[in-house]
Amino acid sequence: MTVSTQSVNSRYRGLILSIAAFLALIGVLLAFTFYTSSVLERNTTLVNISNKTANNAQAIIKDLFDLRSSVGEHINSPHQKRVRERLEDNTQDIDRLLISMREGSEYNDEAGNSYKIPDITTASEVAALEEAQQDWNKLKPLITAYLKGASDIRVDSSDELALAYEQAKTSSLRMNDALDKLTSEVYKETERQANTIRLIQILGVAAIFAYFLIFVFFFVRRLRDTDAEALAARRETQEIMETVNTGLFLLDKDLNIGQQHSRALNGIIGEDRLSGENFADVLRGRISDKDLKTTRQFIEQLYNPRVKEKLVDSLNPLNKVMLHNTSGEESATNRYLDFKFSRVYEDKDIARILVNVNDVSDAVYLEQRLEKERSQNDMQIEMLTTILNVNPKIINEFISNTKAHIDKMNNILKNPGSSQFELEGKLNAIYREMHSLKGEASALKLHSFTKIAADAEDKLDALQNQGKLSGNNFLPLAVHLDDLLSLSNTIETLGERINQAAPKSHASAQPMKKAAVSASLSSANHASVANQSVATASFVSGNDIDLNDDVADEQLAYYQDFAQDIAVRQGKQVQLNGHNLAHVTIPERLKKPVREISIQLLRNAVVHGIESPEARQAAGKSAIGSIDLEMQRDAQNLIIVLQDDGQGINYEGIRNKLIADGRYNSEEASTLTEGELLKTLFTSGFSTKEHADEDGGRGVGLDVIKALVKEYDGKLNVNSELGKMTRFVITLPTA
């Protein structure tokens, strides 16, 4: 339930105005009290001054009587002098007091105290003061005349003293009466003012008390109504929170969950208590540490007013995130949750973050299922395209070779290995088989095969680099072999269906022959002239099969397509030329190794031998690299020759790579001959390519060639000239 800002402001405006009126009433009463206090203080001062004046008049009579009683005493005696000084001071003091009361001026006493004497304004007060002034005017000249000669021994002042004394008896009494009248008038006025003050204070207090009662009654009722509205709003909010099937809660800057949240949140998150808990603690262990750190940073940015909400929303790390099960129950499964974050503003400040979370597991599983089906459809379309565009014999050979590779890898996996040497040999053997299978699949553009094989190669490469091996390290490879076998069976089934549905006279589709293609520079190195024999082996002779011109053209197109795909990925341009492919008979048992060797040699030439177009032109060569594939046959041997006009073998580059990989130190590497350096190119796991990719860099291709040549008792000859060419000559006995 939402309460408008306007109604809230109106409610508080009334409260503020009521309190202001209440305070104003109190302020008026206090102001009046202060005013009446000042009036009372003025009257008190006036009374004190009047009494002081009367007291001074009495003192004057006393001093005159004292002086008259001490006639005959020396005039400069201490007693005489003290009385005369007191008489003179009192005379001056009465004079100042009367003037101050008449004019309302400031009066300073002997002690240095200052009094502000108020003006006398009422007629009775003025008359009383005037009467006292007249009597003083009669007495003052006589006292002044006496004091003028009283201190001179040569002057007789007794007469002046007698006159002053006689006049003082009359004037002082009349002054006292006048000042008493003045004091009585002031007292009467003070009493009237006090009564008025009491009345006004009683009325003011009564008004304040009545206003307070009204105020309390009105606002208690308003508060009760507000509480009822808040209760109704809370009830509505609670009903919403209990009804919605999404998780709703608020987050503060410290990632603390608010006290109110939807009931569905507990079930979605899988926690019984969430109110007041830290959001990061709830997610810890259920998502990765990296996602948790990113979530913290993401929410910090949401609280940053300078960052636009739409912009930061695209960086949400909890969009369809998998929440791991931490309950320990086997029946519980991981779920996918989708968190949406929105800012909550108070005025223009970001006060909270509203989080809406939904369980999207079903939708994600459906997407995954659809994606899997889509991938399978794409895979089948890919396979159909290959089947329809490649000679059926090549497809059948691929299926047969794939199964042979898989069987061989299965047999290798089954063979136990106890020592590190045996496990490393087992690893290298599987690596070679997987690399050969990937090469054939890549040549047929079967990317599904290629991806599975490439993933398996990544795991094999990691095993090569981890050092110590164990039998359990090979277990995950079984999954890849099952996937490859499944794909092989699928393409075989599709091929059989197409062959059954096709007319008997249907000729296989002929692929287009391609010449120059383009691709990216790889840091492969081949260099100066060498002619090295690598390995020999023997085999049992097989049957010879003639290749007609169509099949020869199919073989050439097959290799050209393969070279084209690699060149495109590597950013290079190549021209593959075939020689004598139509006139050479290949024994049945040599068809598989010939194809594998040719594929590996082609990949090696494009990836490592041919330079980029820019590098070739800078070296004065044509931008298009030339590769020649030739097959020869004599009475005893089948000879495969592959030559490229690339950069040749760089032996110093091999030497530096061996040092960089830590296989040799600088001193040991400097003693290696070109033959020894060349042999390292054919060892498993060594490559001069800086970064591995789909086409090379793992150091397996030449190892595959070496293994095949040894398996068939053949010979391998390498001839290279730095910056000009590299030629591989493979000799395989036919008998």
Side-chain angles (χ1 to χ4, degrees):
M1 182 175 182
T2 304
V3 181
S4 67
T5 305
Q6 184 176 0
S7 63
V8 173
N9 292 339
S10 175
R11 180 182 305 166
Y12 285 113
R13 187 183 302 114
L15 176 63
I16 293 171
L17 291 176
S18 299
I19 294 175
F22 182 75
L23 294 176
L25 184 60
I26 295 176
V28 169
L29 183 60
L30 290 175
F32 179 76
T33 302
F34 290 145
Y35 168 73
T36 54
S37 297
S38 65
V39 171
L40 292 176
E41 183 180 3
R42 170 251 186 199
N43 292 338
T44 301
T45 302
L46 189 60
V47 168
N48 292 335
I49 294 301
S50 176
N51 291 333
K52 183 174 180 60
T53 304
N55 291 335
N56 287 342
Q58 292 295 324
I60 286 175
I61 293 176
K62 180 181 177 182
D63 290 337
L64 290 173
F65 177 77
D66 192 5
L67 289 172
R68 188 172 182 186
S69 300
S70 59
V71 171
E73 186 179 340
H74 197 280
I75 60 176
N76 290 326
S77 66
H79 173 257
Q80 287 276 342
K81 291 175 68 177
R82 183 170 61 254
V83 173
R84 285 198 304 271
E85 289 176 359
R86 186 167 61 238
L87 178 63
E88 185 177 1
D89 291 341
N90 288 333
T91 302
Q92 294 175 358
D93 201 20
I94 290 174
D95 206 26
R96 288 197 305 271
L97 288 170
L98 290 174
I99 293 172
S100 298
M101 283 188 288
R102 185 173 62 251
E103 297 177 357
S105 61
E106 189 172 302
Y107 168 73
N108 296 315
D109 59 13
E110 298 85 355
N113 299 319
S114 179
Y115 301 94
K116 178 65 174 69
I117 301 176
D119 295 337
I120 294 177
T121 55
T122 63
S124 57
E125 291 176 354
V126 171
L129 180 63
E130 186 64 28
E131 184 180 347
Q133 183 68 49
Q134 289 175 359
D135 287 320
W136 174 248
N137 290 339
K138 293 177 182 179
L139 178 59
K140 178 183 176 183
L142 297 176
I143 296 173
T144 303
Y146 165 71
L147 291 175
K148 183 176 181 181
S151 59
D152 191 350
I153 194 172
R154 296 170 298 177
V155 178
D156 185 9
S157 302
S158 57
D159 292 338
E160 287 80 0
L161 175 61
L163 291 174
Y165 175 71
E166 291 299 327
Q167 183 63 41
K169 288 191 293 184
T170 304
S171 296
S172 63
L173 292 176
R174 297 187 58 168
M175 285 179 65
N176 285 339
D177 292 340
L179 292 173
D180 285 341
K181 291 180 183 179
L182 175 61
T183 302
S184 297
E185 291 297 326
V186 173
Y187 275 131
K188 291 178 182 178
E189 183 180 355
T190 301
E191 186 176 359
R192 287 195 301 271
Q193 290 173 347
N195 292 333
T196 303
I197 290 171
R198 280 193 295 271
L199 178 62
I200 292 176
Q201 286 178 337
I202 291 172
L203 293 176
V205 170
I208 290 172
F209 184 72
Y211 188 87
F212 177 75
L213 291 178
I214 296 172
F215 174 82
V216 170
F217 173 77
F218 176 77
F219 280 98
V220 165
R221 187 176 64 178
R222 175 66 66 87
L223 183 61
R224 187 170 58 250
D225 295 340
T226 302
D227 289 342
E229 292 177 3
L231 182 61
R234 190 180 301 113
R235 188 180 298 112
E236 291 178 8
T237 302
Q238 186 175 2
E239 290 173 355
I240 292 172
M241 288 297 191
E242 291 179 352
T243 305
V244 295
N245 55 5
T246 62
L248 294 174
F249 62 94
L250 292 171
L251 275 182
D252 62 15
K253 285 186 177 181
D254 297 324
L255 272 70
N256 293 318
I257 299 174
Q259 295 299 322
Q260 300 293 327
H261 60 77
S262 63
R263 176 181 292 181
L265 181 65
N266 298 94
I268 292 173
I269 299 294
E271 294 286 345
D272 295 332
R273 176 176 174 79
L274 290 172
S275 299
E277 297 295 320
N278 189 273
F279 187 50
D281 294 337
V282 173
L283 294 180
R284 184 171 288 108
R286 310 186 74 177
I287 62 175
S288 67
D289 292 340
K290 180 181 179 182
D291 285 342
L292 185 60
K293 180 180 179 181
T294 306
T295 300
R296 286 179 177 275
Q297 296 172 345
F298 171 74
I299 296 176
E300 287 177 2
Q301 292 304 314
L302 278 175
Y303 271 103
N304 186 351
R306 293 177 295 180
V307 178
K308 293 184 178 179
E309 186 173 0
K310 290 184 178 179
L311 176 63
V312 75
D313 184 59
S314 62
L315 305 176
N316 183 1
L318 298 183
N319 181 24
K320 296 181 180 179
V321 65
M322 185 173 73
L323 210 66
H324 296 282
N325 169 40
T326 58
S327 63
E329 299 178 4
E330 295 183 359
S331 59
T333 58
N334 298 328
R335 290 173 297 161
Y336 288 88
L337 303 184
D338 187 29
F339 291 81
K340 300 296 183 185
F341 298 86
S342 304
R343 288 169 172 169
V344 178
Y345 290 89
E346 288 184 2
D347 295 330
K348 295 183 180 181
D349 298 327
I350 303 171
R352 295 286 189 277
I353 299 298
L354 175 65
V355 185
N356 185 350
V357 54
N358 288 282
D359 189 339
V360 293
S361 300
D362 293 339
V364 171
Y365 290 139
L366 179 59
E367 288 178 4
Q368 291 176 349
R369 192 159 55 249
L370 292 175
E371 182 62 30
K372 184 176 181 181
E373 292 176 358
R374 189 181 300 112
S375 299
Q376 290 176 346
N377 292 336
D378 293 342
M379 177 193 66
Q380 291 182 357
I381 292 172
E382 175 191 281
M383 292 179 178
L384 284 173
T385 303
T386 300
I387 292 171
L388 294 174
N389 288 277
V390 178
N391 190 298
K393 289 184 178 181
I394 296 177
I395 296 295
N396 291 333
E397 288 178 1
F398 171 75
I399 295 172
S400 177
N401 291 342
T402 298
K403 291 183 176 180
H405 285 304
I406 293 173
D407 289 340
K408 193 167 183 179
M409 284 188 280
N410 271 325
N411 291 331
I412 295 171
L413 288 172
K414 291 176 183 178
N415 292 330
S418 56
S419 67
Q420 282 297 305
F421 177 78
E422 291 174 344
L423 291 173
E424 289 176 2
K426 183 177 178 178
L427 175 63
N428 293 336
I430 295 174
Y431 211 156
R432 286 192 293 268
E433 294 298 324
M434 190 65 72
H435 195 73
S436 296
L437 190 152
K438 187 185 80 170
E440 294 186 50
S442 179
L444 290 175
K445 299 181 182 179
L446 293 172
H447 300 297
S448 301
F449 278 90
T450 306
K451 185 179 184 307
I452 295 173
D455 292 341
E457 280 191 338
D458 289 337
K459 290 184 173 60
L460 292 167
D461 186 62
L463 291 177
Q464 271 191 337
N465 295 323
Q466 81 173 18
K468 190 174 182 180
L469 297 172
S470 67
N472 292 332
N473 296 140
F474 295 90
L475 294 179
L477 297 175
V479 178
H480 297 284
L481 297 183
D482 288 341
D483 291 340
L484 291 171
L485 185 59
S486 176
L487 290 178
S488 178
N489 292 333
T490 300
I491 195 171
E492 184 177 16
T493 302
L494 289 173
E496 290 174 354
R497 290 179 180 177
I498 292 174
N499 290 335
Q500 289 174 0
K504 297 295 183 181
S505 59
H506 179 72
S508 61
Q510 296 293 327
M512 295 178 62
K513 297 180 181 180
K514 301 177 178 62
V517 291
S518 46
S520 71
L521 176 60
S522 150
S523 59
N525 299 312
H526 290 280
S528 54
V529 178
N531 193 353
Q532 308 289 341
S533 178
V534 178
T536 61
S538 61
F539 76 106
V540 180
S541 63
N543 298 319
D544 293 345
I545 299 176
D546 293 331
L547 296 175
N548 57 33
D549 290 342
D550 291 339
V551 177
D553 290 341
E554 182 77 18
Q555 292 283 352
L556 180 58
Y558 169 82
Y559 291 131
Q560 286 177 335
D561 284 346
F562 178 57
Q564 176 191 14
D565 290 341
I566 298 175
V568 169
R569 289 192 294 268
Q570 298 295 320
K572 300 178 181 180
Q573 296 178 358
V574 298
Q575 171 72 45
L576 176 61
N577 305 305
H579 303 282
N580 296 330
L581 299 183
H583 306 290
V584 175
T585 57
I586 303 176
E588 181 66 26
R589 289 189 59 184
L590 290 182
K591 288 182 66 177
K592 178 177 179 294
V594 167
R595 183 186 298 275
E596 290 186 22
I597 290 172
S598 300
I599 287 173
Q600 299 301 335
L601 288 175
L602 271 174
R603 176 187 278 118
N604 186 74
V606 177
V607 174
H608 297 283
I610 300 299
E611 311 95 321
S612 67
E614 297 78 12
R616 291 181 63 84
Q617 289 176 336
K621 299 180 182 181
S622 169
I624 301 174
S626 178
I627 301 175
D628 295 305
L629 175 61
E630 181 180 1
M631 294 190 185
Q632 302 172 6
R633 174 76 182 270
D634 57 22
Q636 290 83 25
N637 300 298
L638 174 68
I639 303 172
I640 306 170
V641 180
L642 188 135
Q643 179 172 326
D644 65 72
D645 65 345
Q647 57 191 345
I649 299 175
N650 185 345
Y651 288 98
E652 289 306 314
I654 298 173
R655 198 187 310 276
N656 293 334
K657 190 67 165 57
L658 288 171
I659 297 173
D661 290 348
R663 299 195 180 198
Y664 296 93
N665 58 37
S666 300
E667 184 178 351
E668 292 171 341
S670 64
T671 63
L672 296 176
T673 64
E674 289 186 354
E676 290 171 330
L677 292 172
L678 182 61
K679 288 185 68 174
T680 60
L681 286 177
F682 291 86
T683 58
S684 180
F686 178 79
S687 175
T688 55
K689 198 171 187 293
E690 291 296 330
H691 302 288
D693 55 27
E694 179 182 342
D695 301 311
R698 293 185 175 88
V700 188
L702 294 181
D703 183 38
V704 170
I705 294 173
K706 182 183 72 172
L708 287 171
V709 172
K710 289 179 67 175
E711 181 179 353
Y712 288 89
D713 199 21
K715 294 181 180 180
L716 172 59
N717 185 276
V718 182
N719 188 292
S720 178
E721 188 173 349
L722 185 61
K724 294 184 178 180
M725 69 87 183
T726 300
R727 181 171 64 251
F728 287 84
V729 179
I730 310 295
T731 303
L732 300 176
T734 57

